[in-house]
Amino acid sequence: MATRSPSVVISDDEPGYDLDLFCIPRHYAEDLEKVFIPHGLIMDRTERLARDVMKEMGGHHIVALCVLKGGYKFFADLLDYIKVLNRNSDRSIPMTVDFIRLKSYCDIIDTGKTMQTLLSLVKQHNPKMVKVASLLVKRTPRSVGYRPDFVGFEIPDKFVVGYALDYNEYFRDLNHVCVISETGKAKYKA
């Protein structure tokens, strides 16, 4: 088995970044506490995960399955980096793409229960191998212990939005991963 890069661990007391340091849509100004993971850091980490995926997959055909809706941005960026690696190296991997929507919320790996259920369904189709990549894994006491094969960031148990992660369909349009404020939760409550 190939060696994968470890995840970036964000500590529980990470202060994040002041919103004024970044381009945040004005309509969200009061709804966010802080920028937790800036877009540039997300992109750099995603590029590294693409390299790790290519190394791990060897010459196997990849069937990339995106869990909608919150996973689409990470999925698209990860595949873009994989495509660049495919074009610019001596070895390339054939790839097909598909999408799935789950009834349960599955934007990030939180407890891991939803992903375990999805994996059991996927494995009924007898794939040669199954690998999971997730931008975020949350450290939470509710976790069942599931850990994806490729992890961008391990984060504390905070409610994060942005980079396609939502709160009642809002905040998907943010480039950065941010911590939502109590004001934001109240404002966009379903």
Side-chain angles (χ1 to χ4, degrees):
M1 177 175 282
T3 305
R4 293 184 298 271
S5 60
S7 64
V8 174
V9 178
I10 298 176
S11 67
D12 290 345
D13 58 355
E14 168 62 41
Y17 302 93
D18 191 287
L19 297 173
D20 293 334
L21 298 173
F22 298 91
C23 296
I24 302 291
R26 192 177 288 262
H27 58 275
Y28 289 142
E30 301 299 317
D31 306 326
L32 303 168
E33 284 181 20
K34 58 189 170 185
V35 171
F36 208 48
I37 309 173
H39 184 255
L41 186 55
I42 293 167
M43 297 307 289
D44 192 80
R45 184 71 187 123
T46 302
E47 181 179 13
R48 177 54 197 252
L49 290 176
R51 287 186 198 173
D52 294 346
V53 168
M54 290 286 286
K55 184 185 261 185
E56 177 96 3
M57 295 307 293
H60 296 283
H61 175 223
I62 296 175
V63 177
L65 181 64
C66 176
V67 179
L68 295 171
K69 296 181 188 173
Y72 86 87
K73 192 85 172 102
F74 171 63
F75 181 79
D77 288 338
L78 181 67
L79 292 191
D80 282 346
Y81 283 122
I82 289 172
K83 288 188 292 187
V84 168
L85 291 168
N86 263 339
R87 284 192 310 265
N88 297 313
S89 72
D90 296 334
R91 192 185 76 206
S92 65
I93 299 173
M95 183 169 49
T96 55
V97 175
D98 211 340
F99 300 87
I100 187 169
R101 244 180 120 173
L102 302 176
K103 201 171 190 175
S104 176
Y105 205 75
C106 192
D107 289 343
I108 65 175
I109 305 295
D110 192 343
T111 64
K113 291 177 186 172
T114 303
M115 188 54 67
Q116 284 183 329
T117 301
L118 175 60
L119 287 173
S120 68
L121 293 171
V122 168
K123 288 178 181 175
Q124 289 175 9
H125 297 278
N126 299 316
K128 288 181 183 171
M129 89 174 68
V130 177
K131 300 291 179 185
V132 175
S134 179
L135 179 66
L136 304 174
V137 171
K138 201 180 271 190
R139 285 188 307 279
T140 173
R142 301 178 309 280
S143 174
V144 296
Y146 173 76
R147 183 120 177 130
D149 302 284
F150 305 98
V151 177
F153 301 90
E154 182 182 299
I155 64 170
D157 195 4
K158 296 183 185 299
F159 200 114
V160 294
V161 294
Y163 194 69
L165 305 173
D166 76 302
Y167 180 69
N168 293 326
E169 298 300 324
Y170 292 92
F171 303 101
R172 291 190 197 279
D173 54 332
L174 286 170
N175 283 334
H176 315 288
V177 172
C178 300
V179 176
I180 190 171
S181 67
E182 292 303 318
T183 304
K185 288 178 189 174
K187 182 177 177 180
Y188 297 106
K189 189 174 184 177

